[in-house]
Amino acid sequence: MSSTSAVYVGFDLSTQQLKGLVVDSSLKVLYNEKFDFDAEAKGFNIHKGVMTNEVEHEVFAPVALWLQALDSVLQKLKTAGLEFARVQGISGACQQHGSVYWNAEADERLSNLDSSQSLESQVTWALAHPHSPNWQDASTQRECDEFDAHLGSADALADVTGSKAHHRFTGPQILRFQRKYPEAYAKTSRISLVSSFLASLFLGKVAPFDISDVCGMNLWHIKKGCWNEKLLSLAAGSFGVSDLKKKLGDFDEDGGMDLGKISTYFVEKYGFSKNCAVFPSTGDNPSTILALPLRPLDAMVSLGTSTTFLMSTPEYKPDPTTHFFNSPTTAGLYMFMLCYKNGGLAREKIRDANNRKAGVAGQASWEVFDELLGITPPLAQRDKSRPMKMGLFFPRPEIIPNLPIGEWHYTYDESTKNLQESEEDWQIPADSARVIVESQFLSLRLRSRELVHSPEDGLPPQPRRVYLVGGGSRNKAIAKIAGEVLGGSEGIYKLDVGENACALGAAYKAVWAKERKDGQTFEELIGERWKQDQFVEKIAEGYQKGVFEKYGEALDGFEKMEVELLHRYGRL
């Protein structure tokens, strides 16, 4: 590779760090540097990247922290040997939903930065408010209730914007901001998402939103491709819709649009080419699906402390329990997302109970748990004359479904459709090992079943591939059950990109945006260059005839169990 050949930088501005990753046109990673907020930042009273106001349930970050981090990461890349003159394009992946409030001097200050000074010392003067709400913020319950009611129901809001109202979403956050800080809101000239804030720094003026990240605001009408006037009116309050529209600005729906050339600040300070293009930054979750790249009918399951399910799909079928976003690159595709609070911690609780029973208490070993997954039959149904066993295990309050902390055990007779809350015939905690893993995957299958179709003749509707990421992806016993429950005509795969998925997705987006031919999609260009064997390992079979259908029969009972509990706790 010539030392003068093109390279591209993807940035990942997350809650706890900023990462800068450099790839060449073949997608080979050349450099990777990061700035850890807690460990390296100077002058901020932060913990895990944020500040908190527990009385009002606020979680927020100082915007100046991110400015300090960007100069630092760029300097680290320079020290590592990156020749910035080779960089042909930049994009980013950022924590979603957070908002940055610019004052009327923003564009003038951004376009006239002094390269002998730091970003932190100059850009802070362009802000109308020093902080940005973090996705963990829970201060907007009143505003969420108003948003859910404003179009008639949470279902109606989800149908329009892709999601029901959530504490972290930008529309409710803007509504609360203008109520709590009316003077700062009046001084606000423009509002950025964190993604467009990052692009603004490189562009030297306030950048437009990204077509995917805008869907995390509860303000954008996804199917019509425009702002929803009623929701803007709610968020704007007495300041009015026209004022809020000016603050939000216009933007193009092309996720690979060339926003302009890089600011002279970065040319002079770091040696970037003046022709380096700035492309729209997107949200961290949309960027994750670009790191594969995820094809339609492929699914990604993150098995971390929480569980996240992502699919790229041409189907738009919103529901209050799910999220839909526009694809960050490809018109006509959507990102479908499920987010669960109870994932790894719930499995660990059952693991620990079985370890104690086996006399290995105090050890975080998965050996007993994995053995139980292997010897326990599907749905712990040891005899066809006995009912299926199913349950829910929530050490934390859950979002999907909306239930409190609890553990519930049921039996279900698939022939009579009889569902009973009962521990009869259960071997607790042994059966719970398999049933908790099944319950987590059954919930994913239940909520994604309308989005999948047959991947090939003779097969029932299911994903083509299922990619597992996160800590739980290393467990092949769990992967085996994923294939049995979810299917996957091509199998279950472990995706190993370390902690770089978001930054990689952003870098790939820049490569595509700069090098695409007319009409060439992201999936086509990156798919041709992406070296699967470097990142992917098949770890389990997917669809297994008979077993997959058995779990299909169980779905009816699983759904009935959820509905029964939702009624019991007044959540339905």
mmCIF file with all atom_site columns, all heavy atoms in Angstrom, residues 365-383:
data_model
loop_
_atom_site.group_PDB
_atom_site.id
_atom_site.type_symbol
_atom_site.label_atom_id
_atom_site.label_alt_id
_atom_site.label_comp_id
_atom_site.label_asym_id
_atom_site.label_entity_id
_atom_site.label_seq_id
_atom_site.pdbx_PDB_ins_code
_atom_site.Cartn_x
_atom_site.Cartn_y
_atom_site.Cartn_z
_atom_site.occupancy
_atom_site.B_iso_or_equiv
_atom_site.pdbx_formal_charge
_atom_site.auth_seq_id
_atom_site.auth_comp_id
_atom_site.auth_asym_id
_atom_site.auth_atom_id
_atom_site.pdbx_PDB_model_num
ATOM 1   N N   . SER A 1 365 ? -17.790 -19.613 37.373 1.00 0.00 ? 365 SER A N   1
ATOM 2   C CA  . SER A 1 365 ? -17.606 -20.620 36.333 1.00 0.00 ? 365 SER A CA  1
ATOM 3   C C   . SER A 1 365 ? -18.921 -20.902 35.626 1.00 0.00 ? 365 SER A C   1
ATOM 4   O O   . SER A 1 365 ? -19.979 -20.992 36.259 1.00 0.00 ? 365 SER A O   1
ATOM 5   C CB  . SER A 1 365 ? -17.068 -21.922 36.943 1.00 0.00 ? 365 SER A CB  1
ATOM 6   O OG  . SER A 1 365 ? -17.134 -22.975 35.997 1.00 0.00 ? 365 SER A OG  1
ATOM 7   N N   . TRP A 1 366 ? -18.846 -21.075 34.312 1.00 0.00 ? 366 TRP A N   1
ATOM 8   C CA  . TRP A 1 366 ? -20.023 -21.397 33.518 1.00 0.00 ? 366 TRP A CA  1
ATOM 9   C C   . TRP A 1 366 ? -20.119 -22.901 33.236 1.00 0.00 ? 366 TRP A C   1
ATOM 10  O O   . TRP A 1 366 ? -21.007 -23.339 32.497 1.00 0.00 ? 366 TRP A O   1
ATOM 11  C CB  . TRP A 1 366 ? -19.996 -20.626 32.194 1.00 0.00 ? 366 TRP A CB  1
ATOM 12  C CG  . TRP A 1 366 ? -20.247 -19.160 32.367 1.00 0.00 ? 366 TRP A CG  1
ATOM 13  C CD1 . TRP A 1 366 ? -19.311 -18.183 32.521 1.00 0.00 ? 366 TRP A CD1 1
ATOM 14  C CD2 . TRP A 1 366 ? -21.520 -18.505 32.427 1.00 0.00 ? 366 TRP A CD2 1
ATOM 15  N NE1 . TRP A 1 366 ? -19.913 -16.960 32.667 1.00 0.00 ? 366 TRP A NE1 1
ATOM 16  C CE2 . TRP A 1 366 ? -21.264 -17.122 32.601 1.00 0.00 ? 366 TRP A CE2 1
ATOM 17  C CE3 . TRP A 1 366 ? -22.842 -18.951 32.341 1.00 0.00 ? 366 TRP A CE3 1
ATOM 18  C CZ2 . TRP A 1 366 ? -22.292 -16.196 32.705 1.00 0.00 ? 366 TRP A CZ2 1
ATOM 19  C CZ3 . TRP A 1 366 ? -23.865 -18.020 32.427 1.00 0.00 ? 366 TRP A CZ3 1
ATOM 20  C CH2 . TRP A 1 366 ? -23.593 -16.654 32.605 1.00 0.00 ? 366 TRP A CH2 1
ATOM 21  N N   . GLU A 1 367 ? -19.249 -23.691 33.801 1.00 0.00 ? 367 GLU A N   1
ATOM 22  C CA  . GLU A 1 367 ? -19.188 -25.108 33.467 1.00 0.00 ? 367 GLU A CA  1
ATOM 23  C C   . GLU A 1 367 ? -20.489 -25.830 33.812 1.00 0.00 ? 367 GLU A C   1
ATOM 24  O O   . GLU A 1 367 ? -21.035 -26.582 32.995 1.00 0.00 ? 367 GLU A O   1
ATOM 25  C CB  . GLU A 1 367 ? -18.008 -25.766 34.186 1.00 0.00 ? 367 GLU A CB  1
ATOM 26  C CG  . GLU A 1 367 ? -17.788 -27.217 33.791 1.00 0.00 ? 367 GLU A CG  1
ATOM 27  C CD  . GLU A 1 367 ? -16.551 -27.827 34.435 1.00 0.00 ? 367 GLU A CD  1
ATOM 28  O OE1 . GLU A 1 367 ? -15.720 -27.060 34.979 1.00 0.00 ? 367 GLU A OE1 1
ATOM 29  O OE2 . GLU A 1 367 ? -16.423 -29.062 34.391 1.00 0.00 ? 367 GLU A OE2 1
ATOM 30  N N   . VAL A 1 368 ? -20.999 -25.636 35.018 1.00 0.00 ? 368 VAL A N   1
ATOM 31  C CA  . VAL A 1 368 ? -22.241 -26.292 35.433 1.00 0.00 ? 368 VAL A CA  1
ATOM 32  C C   . VAL A 1 368 ? -23.408 -25.802 34.583 1.00 0.00 ? 368 VAL A C   1
ATOM 33  O O   . VAL A 1 368 ? -24.230 -26.586 34.100 1.00 0.00 ? 368 VAL A O   1
ATOM 34  C CB  . VAL A 1 368 ? -22.514 -26.046 36.931 1.00 0.00 ? 368 VAL A CB  1
ATOM 35  C CG1 . VAL A 1 368 ? -23.885 -26.589 37.327 1.00 0.00 ? 368 VAL A CG1 1
ATOM 36  C CG2 . VAL A 1 368 ? -21.417 -26.667 37.782 1.00 0.00 ? 368 VAL A CG2 1
ATOM 37  N N   . PHE A 1 369 ? -23.496 -24.504 34.400 1.00 0.00 ? 369 PHE A N   1
ATOM 38  C CA  . PHE A 1 369 ? -24.568 -23.891 33.608 1.00 0.00 ? 369 PHE A CA  1
ATOM 39  C C   . PHE A 1 369 ? -24.568 -24.463 32.188 1.00 0.00 ? 369 PHE A C   1
ATOM 40  O O   . PHE A 1 369 ? -25.609 -24.880 31.666 1.00 0.00 ? 369 PHE A O   1
ATOM 41  C CB  . PHE A 1 369 ? -24.360 -22.375 33.578 1.00 0.00 ? 369 PHE A CB  1
ATOM 42  C CG  . PHE A 1 369 ? -25.461 -21.586 32.923 1.00 0.00 ? 369 PHE A CG  1
ATOM 43  C CD1 . PHE A 1 369 ? -26.528 -21.106 33.658 1.00 0.00 ? 369 PHE A CD1 1
ATOM 44  C CD2 . PHE A 1 369 ? -25.422 -21.301 31.562 1.00 0.00 ? 369 PHE A CD2 1
ATOM 45  C CE1 . PHE A 1 369 ? -27.539 -20.364 33.058 1.00 0.00 ? 369 PHE A CE1 1
ATOM 46  C CE2 . PHE A 1 369 ? -26.418 -20.561 30.949 1.00 0.00 ? 369 PHE A CE2 1
ATOM 47  C CZ  . PHE A 1 369 ? -27.478 -20.095 31.703 1.00 0.00 ? 369 PHE A CZ  1
ATOM 48  N N   . ASP A 1 370 ? -23.385 -24.493 31.562 1.00 0.00 ? 370 ASP A N   1
ATOM 49  C CA  . ASP A 1 370 ? -23.300 -24.976 30.186 1.00 0.00 ? 370 ASP A CA  1
ATOM 50  C C   . ASP A 1 370 ? -23.661 -26.458 30.082 1.00 0.00 ? 370 ASP A C   1
ATOM 51  O O   . ASP A 1 370 ? -24.285 -26.897 29.105 1.00 0.00 ? 370 ASP A O   1
ATOM 52  C CB  . ASP A 1 370 ? -21.893 -24.747 29.636 1.00 0.00 ? 370 ASP A CB  1
ATOM 53  C CG  . ASP A 1 370 ? -21.579 -23.270 29.436 1.00 0.00 ? 370 ASP A CG  1
ATOM 54  O OD1 . ASP A 1 370 ? -22.505 -22.447 29.600 1.00 0.00 ? 370 ASP A OD1 1
ATOM 55  O OD2 . ASP A 1 370 ? -20.425 -22.942 29.128 1.00 0.00 ? 370 ASP A OD2 1
ATOM 56  N N   . GLU A 1 371 ? -23.268 -27.233 31.084 1.00 0.00 ? 371 GLU A N   1
ATOM 57  C CA  . GLU A 1 371 ? -23.612 -28.651 31.084 1.00 0.00 ? 371 GLU A CA  1
ATOM 58  C C   . GLU A 1 371 ? -25.122 -28.835 31.152 1.00 0.00 ? 371 GLU A C   1
ATOM 59  O O   . GLU A 1 371 ? -25.698 -29.677 30.450 1.00 0.00 ? 371 GLU A O   1
ATOM 60  C CB  . GLU A 1 371 ? -22.943 -29.358 32.262 1.00 0.00 ? 371 GLU A CB  1
ATOM 61  C CG  . GLU A 1 371 ? -23.217 -30.861 32.310 1.00 0.00 ? 371 GLU A CG  1
ATOM 62  C CD  . GLU A 1 371 ? -22.556 -31.547 33.483 1.00 0.00 ? 371 GLU A CD  1
ATOM 63  O OE1 . GLU A 1 371 ? -21.725 -30.909 34.161 1.00 0.00 ? 371 GLU A OE1 1
ATOM 64  O OE2 . GLU A 1 371 ? -22.889 -32.728 33.743 1.00 0.00 ? 371 GLU A OE2 1
ATOM 65  N N   . LEU A 1 372 ? -25.787 -27.998 31.958 1.00 0.00 ? 372 LEU A N   1
ATOM 66  C CA  . LEU A 1 372 ? -27.246 -28.074 32.068 1.00 0.00 ? 372 LEU A CA  1
ATOM 67  C C   . LEU A 1 372 ? -27.918 -27.689 30.752 1.00 0.00 ? 372 LEU A C   1
ATOM 68  O O   . LEU A 1 372 ? -28.938 -28.270 30.370 1.00 0.00 ? 372 LEU A O   1
ATOM 69  C CB  . LEU A 1 372 ? -27.730 -27.174 33.203 1.00 0.00 ? 372 LEU A CB  1
ATOM 70  C CG  . LEU A 1 372 ? -27.412 -27.663 34.619 1.00 0.00 ? 372 LEU A CG  1
ATOM 71  C CD1 . LEU A 1 372 ? -27.650 -26.566 35.641 1.00 0.00 ? 372 LEU A CD1 1
ATOM 72  C CD2 . LEU A 1 372 ? -28.257 -28.900 34.952 1.00 0.00 ? 372 LEU A CD2 1
ATOM 73  N N   . LEU A 1 373 ? -27.347 -26.700 30.050 1.00 0.00 ? 373 LEU A N   1
ATOM 74  C CA  . LEU A 1 373 ? -27.912 -26.337 28.749 1.00 0.00 ? 373 LEU A CA  1
ATOM 75  C C   . LEU A 1 373 ? -27.868 -27.514 27.789 1.00 0.00 ? 373 LEU A C   1
ATOM 76  O O   . LEU A 1 373 ? -28.778 -27.709 26.972 1.00 0.00 ? 373 LEU A O   1
ATOM 77  C CB  . LEU A 1 373 ? -27.132 -25.156 28.139 1.00 0.00 ? 373 LEU A CB  1
ATOM 78  C CG  . LEU A 1 373 ? -27.181 -23.811 28.861 1.00 0.00 ? 373 LEU A CG  1
ATOM 79  C CD1 . LEU A 1 373 ? -26.523 -22.738 28.011 1.00 0.00 ? 373 LEU A CD1 1
ATOM 80  C CD2 . LEU A 1 373 ? -28.596 -23.392 29.207 1.00 0.00 ? 373 LEU A CD2 1
ATOM 81  N N   . GLY A 1 374 ? -26.814 -28.313 27.895 1.00 0.00 ? 374 GLY A N   1
ATOM 82  C CA  . GLY A 1 374 ? -26.649 -29.427 26.978 1.00 0.00 ? 374 GLY A CA  1
ATOM 83  C C   . GLY A 1 374 ? -27.518 -30.624 27.294 1.00 0.00 ? 374 GLY A C   1
ATOM 84  O O   . GLY A 1 374 ? -27.999 -31.315 26.375 1.00 0.00 ? 374 GLY A O   1
ATOM 85  N N   . ILE A 1 375 ? -27.743 -30.905 28.590 1.00 0.00 ? 375 ILE A N   1
ATOM 86  C CA  . ILE A 1 375 ? -28.482 -32.126 28.954 1.00 0.00 ? 375 ILE A CA  1
ATOM 87  C C   . ILE A 1 375 ? -29.980 -31.894 29.131 1.00 0.00 ? 375 ILE A C   1
ATOM 88  O O   . ILE A 1 375 ? -30.761 -32.849 29.132 1.00 0.00 ? 375 ILE A O   1
ATOM 89  C CB  . ILE A 1 375 ? -27.897 -32.760 30.238 1.00 0.00 ? 375 ILE A CB  1
ATOM 90  C CG1 . ILE A 1 375 ? -28.084 -31.827 31.443 1.00 0.00 ? 375 ILE A CG1 1
ATOM 91  C CG2 . ILE A 1 375 ? -26.435 -33.122 30.043 1.00 0.00 ? 375 ILE A CG2 1
ATOM 92  C CD1 . ILE A 1 375 ? -27.633 -32.452 32.770 1.00 0.00 ? 375 ILE A CD1 1
ATOM 93  N N   . THR A 1 376 ? -30.386 -30.637 29.281 1.00 0.00 ? 376 THR A N   1
ATOM 94  C CA  . THR A 1 376 ? -31.815 -30.344 29.436 1.00 0.00 ? 376 THR A CA  1
ATOM 95  C C   . THR A 1 376 ? -32.459 -30.256 28.065 1.00 0.00 ? 376 THR A C   1
ATOM 96  O O   . THR A 1 376 ? -31.991 -29.524 27.192 1.00 0.00 ? 376 THR A O   1
ATOM 97  C CB  . THR A 1 376 ? -32.029 -29.013 30.189 1.00 0.00 ? 376 THR A CB  1
ATOM 98  O OG1 . THR A 1 376 ? -31.308 -29.036 31.415 1.00 0.00 ? 376 THR A OG1 1
ATOM 99  C CG2 . THR A 1 376 ? -33.500 -28.775 30.461 1.00 0.00 ? 376 THR A CG2 1
ATOM 100 N N   . PRO A 1 377 ? -33.547 -30.970 27.814 1.00 0.00 ? 377 PRO A N   1
ATOM 101 C CA  . PRO A 1 377 ? -34.183 -30.938 26.490 1.00 0.00 ? 377 PRO A CA  1
ATOM 102 C C   . PRO A 1 377 ? -34.861 -29.584 26.239 1.00 0.00 ? 377 PRO A C   1
ATOM 103 O O   . PRO A 1 377 ? -35.095 -28.808 27.180 1.00 0.00 ? 377 PRO A O   1
ATOM 104 C CB  . PRO A 1 377 ? -35.213 -32.065 26.564 1.00 0.00 ? 377 PRO A CB  1
ATOM 105 C CG  . PRO A 1 377 ? -35.519 -32.215 28.014 1.00 0.00 ? 377 PRO A CG  1
ATOM 106 C CD  . PRO A 1 377 ? -34.233 -31.894 28.736 1.00 0.00 ? 377 PRO A CD  1
ATOM 107 N N   . PRO A 1 378 ? -35.153 -29.259 24.992 1.00 0.00 ? 378 PRO A N   1
ATOM 108 C CA  . PRO A 1 378 ? -35.844 -28.000 24.704 1.00 0.00 ? 378 PRO A CA  1
ATOM 109 C C   . PRO A 1 378 ? -37.083 -27.813 25.565 1.00 0.00 ? 378 PRO A C   1
ATOM 110 O O   . PRO A 1 378 ? -37.895 -28.727 25.731 1.00 0.00 ? 378 PRO A O   1
ATOM 111 C CB  . PRO A 1 378 ? -36.203 -28.142 23.217 1.00 0.00 ? 378 PRO A CB  1
ATOM 112 C CG  . PRO A 1 378 ? -35.118 -29.010 22.672 1.00 0.00 ? 378 PRO A CG  1
ATOM 113 C CD  . PRO A 1 378 ? -34.832 -30.002 23.763 1.00 0.00 ? 378 PRO A CD  1
ATOM 114 N N   . LEU A 1 379 ? -37.178 -26.600 26.152 1.00 0.00 ? 379 LEU A N   1
ATOM 115 C CA  . LEU A 1 379 ? -38.303 -26.212 27.002 1.00 0.00 ? 379 LEU A CA  1
ATOM 116 C C   . LEU A 1 379 ? -38.440 -27.122 28.216 1.00 0.00 ? 379 LEU A C   1
ATOM 117 O O   . LEU A 1 379 ? -39.505 -27.216 28.810 1.00 0.00 ? 379 LEU A O   1
ATOM 118 C CB  . LEU A 1 379 ? -39.596 -26.175 26.184 1.00 0.00 ? 379 LEU A CB  1
ATOM 119 C CG  . LEU A 1 379 ? -39.534 -25.164 25.020 1.00 0.00 ? 379 LEU A CG  1
ATOM 120 C CD1 . LEU A 1 379 ? -40.444 -25.572 23.889 1.00 0.00 ? 379 LEU A CD1 1
ATOM 121 C CD2 . LEU A 1 379 ? -39.872 -23.764 25.518 1.00 0.00 ? 379 LEU A CD2 1
ATOM 122 N N   . ALA A 1 380 ? -37.322 -27.772 28.576 1.00 0.00 ? 380 ALA A N   1
ATOM 123 C CA  . ALA A 1 380 ? -37.267 -28.680 29.731 1.00 0.00 ? 380 ALA A CA  1
ATOM 124 C C   . ALA A 1 380 ? -38.408 -29.692 29.696 1.00 0.00 ? 380 ALA A C   1
ATOM 125 O O   . ALA A 1 380 ? -38.935 -30.107 30.728 1.00 0.00 ? 380 ALA A O   1
ATOM 126 C CB  . ALA A 1 380 ? -37.292 -27.881 31.042 1.00 0.00 ? 380 ALA A CB  1
ATOM 127 N N   . GLN A 1 381 ? -38.772 -30.108 28.506 1.00 0.00 ? 381 GLN A N   1
ATOM 128 C CA  . GLN A 1 381 ? -39.877 -31.051 28.301 1.00 0.00 ? 381 GLN A CA  1
ATOM 129 C C   . GLN A 1 381 ? -39.276 -32.449 28.120 1.00 0.00 ? 381 GLN A C   1
ATOM 130 O O   . GLN A 1 381 ? -38.947 -32.885 27.018 1.00 0.00 ? 381 GLN A O   1
ATOM 131 C CB  . GLN A 1 381 ? -40.705 -30.650 27.077 1.00 0.00 ? 381 GLN A CB  1
ATOM 132 C CG  . GLN A 1 381 ? -42.023 -31.383 26.947 1.00 0.00 ? 381 GLN A CG  1
ATOM 133 C CD  . GLN A 1 381 ? -42.820 -30.892 25.742 1.00 0.00 ? 381 GLN A CD  1
ATOM 134 O OE1 . GLN A 1 381 ? -42.258 -30.374 24.778 1.00 0.00 ? 381 GLN A OE1 1
ATOM 135 N NE2 . GLN A 1 381 ? -44.142 -31.040 25.793 1.00 0.00 ? 381 GLN A NE2 1
ATOM 136 N N   . ARG A 1 382 ? -39.146 -33.159 29.215 1.00 0.00 ? 382 ARG A N   1
ATOM 137 C CA  . ARG A 1 382 ? -38.446 -34.447 29.195 1.00 0.00 ? 382 ARG A CA  1
ATOM 138 C C   . ARG A 1 382 ? -39.290 -35.576 28.603 1.00 0.00 ? 382 ARG A C   1
ATOM 139 O O   . ARG A 1 382 ? -38.772 -36.642 28.275 1.00 0.00 ? 382 ARG A O   1
ATOM 140 C CB  . ARG A 1 382 ? -37.995 -34.803 30.614 1.00 0.00 ? 382 ARG A CB  1
ATOM 141 C CG  . ARG A 1 382 ? -36.899 -33.868 31.120 1.00 0.00 ? 382 ARG A CG  1
ATOM 142 C CD  . ARG A 1 382 ? -36.486 -34.159 32.556 1.00 0.00 ? 382 ARG A CD  1
ATOM 143 N NE  . ARG A 1 382 ? -35.377 -33.286 32.932 1.00 0.00 ? 382 ARG A NE  1
ATOM 144 C CZ  . ARG A 1 382 ? -35.529 -32.040 33.360 1.00 0.00 ? 382 ARG A CZ  1
ATOM 145 N NH1 . ARG A 1 382 ? -36.760 -31.546 33.455 1.00 0.00 ? 382 ARG A NH1 1
ATOM 146 N NH2 . ARG A 1 382 ? -34.481 -31.322 33.662 1.00 0.00 ? 382 ARG A NH2 1
ATOM 147 N N   . ASP A 1 383 ? -40.579 -35.323 28.498 1.00 0.00 ? 383 ASP A N   1
ATOM 148 C CA  . ASP A 1 383 ? -41.488 -36.329 27.947 1.00 0.00 ? 383 ASP A CA  1
ATOM 149 C C   . ASP A 1 383 ? -42.598 -35.575 27.223 1.00 0.00 ? 383 ASP A C   1
ATOM 150 O O   . ASP A 1 383 ? -43.100 -34.556 27.712 1.00 0.00 ? 383 ASP A O   1
ATOM 151 C CB  . ASP A 1 383 ? -42.064 -37.191 29.076 1.00 0.00 ? 383 ASP A CB  1
ATOM 152 C CG  . ASP A 1 383 ? -42.874 -38.360 28.554 1.00 0.00 ? 383 ASP A CG  1
ATOM 153 O OD1 . ASP A 1 383 ? -43.917 -38.108 27.906 1.00 0.00 ? 383 ASP A OD1 1
ATOM 154 O OD2 . ASP A 1 383 ? -42.482 -39.515 28.795 1.00 0.00 ? 383 ASP A OD2 1
#
